């Protein structure tokens, strides 16, 4: 099996337990991340959320914007996301299967792109960031809350134990500083940052394309 198919298979299998894990032991940063993300998208017209998973962030984003396109490459995640939107009476979310590398939207289609807790999981980070910048308006905002597994000694240990126990695919481990650097190297300008403590902290970063960085 190809590495990317193996990774996707992991998320398909883990979808039913995802909410419990995300809100449980590792969920301490979640309320603040949702608050920051909701405020970050507030007033936007069209928002693309990639790797939306079960829709924990989607439910916080949708009430603040006109339209959300929520995407993921795991159909079992998307099924839970659709159910969550239905039970919450949220009707401005279109949920659709998309690989982060092959989003299939025209250039500059979205005011805001949200990529939550996925940049550490993609095998080719540069290609993923190129794909996100391609569909983001030149004056748009990229929101990338991301687990920073190497931020503290506790997170360093917890991350490695978790990866061994669950076999979770993990292609890199960030600190807040190295995540910032990866975005800046892609030509993005950081416009907002907060690191939220937890067993594994989450770095909430907002950024925007610098001139010429949107299209590749
Ligand atoms: C840790 S979960 C995060 C879900 C959600 N963003 C959140 O923060 O609750 C990672 C998600 O990324 C998705 N994912 C990983 N690689 C992907 C890719 N190449 N394209 C699309 N989705 C991907 C997985 O299917 C999974 O739903």
């Amino acid at each position: 099996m190809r590495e990317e198919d193996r990774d996707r298979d992991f998320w398909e299998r883990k979808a039913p337990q995802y909410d419990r894990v995300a809100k449980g032991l590792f969920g301490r940063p979640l309320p603040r991340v949702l608050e920051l993300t909701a405020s970050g998208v507030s007033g936007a017209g069209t928002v693309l959320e990639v790797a939306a998973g079960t829709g924990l962030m989607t439910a916080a984003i949708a009430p603040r914007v006109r339209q959300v396109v929520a995407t993921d490459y795991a159909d079992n995640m998307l099924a839970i996301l659709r159910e969550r939107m239905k039970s919450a009476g949220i009707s401005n979310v279109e949920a659709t299967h998309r690989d982060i590398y092959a989003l299939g939207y025209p250039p500059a289609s979205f005011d805001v792109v949200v990529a939550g807790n996925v940049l550490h999981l993609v095998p080719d980070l540069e290609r993923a960031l190129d794909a996100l910048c391609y569909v983001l308006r030149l004056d748009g905002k990229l929101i990338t809350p991301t687990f920073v597994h190497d931020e503290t000694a506790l997170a360093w240990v917890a991350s490695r134990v978790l990866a061994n126990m669950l076999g979770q695919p993990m292609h890199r481990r960030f600190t807040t500083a190295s995540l910032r650097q990866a975005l800046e190297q892609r030509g993005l300008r950081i416009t907002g940052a907060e690191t939220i403590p937890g067993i594994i902290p989450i770095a909430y970063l907002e950024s925007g394309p610098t001139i010429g960085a949107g299209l590749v």
Side-chain angles (χ1 to χ4, degrees), residues 18-19 23 30 33-35 37-39 41-42 47-72 77-86 88-96 114-117 143 145:
Y18 181 76
D19 281 1
K23 290 179 177 169
L30 188 63
V33 169
L34 296 182
E35 187 179 47
T37 306
S39 145
V41 298
S42 197
V47 175
L48 173 70
E49 188 186 3
V50 300
T54 60
L56 289 172
M57 288 187 188
T58 325
I61 295 168
R64 303 293 193 100
V65 305
R66 185 164 51 77
Q67 178 73 23
V68 184
V69 178
T71 65
D72 200 284
M77 289 285 190
L78 287 171
I80 297 171
L81 184 149
R82 288 191 187 99
E83 199 48 51
R84 168 170 272 121
M85 297 307 118
K86 201 169 143 199
I90 294 173
S91 58
N92 61 338
V93 174
E94 178 198 330
T96 180
V114 178
N117 293 319
I143 300 183

Side-chain angles (χ1 to χ4, degrees), residues 26 148-164 170 173-175 198-201:
F26 298 98
V148 281
H149 296 82
D150 282 357
E151 188 76 2
T152 63
L154 174 62
W156 194 98
V157 174
S159 161
R160 279 144 183 94
V161 170
L162 183 73
N164 275 336
M170 179 99 64
R173 290 178 170 89
F174 288 112
T175 58
I199 294 178
I200 300 178

Side-chain angles (χ1 to χ4, degrees), residues 118-130:
V118 68
L119 296 183
H120 58 300
L121 301 175
V122 288
D124 190 339
L125 178 61
E126 223 171 289
R127 201 171 137 221
L129 289 175
D130 282 352

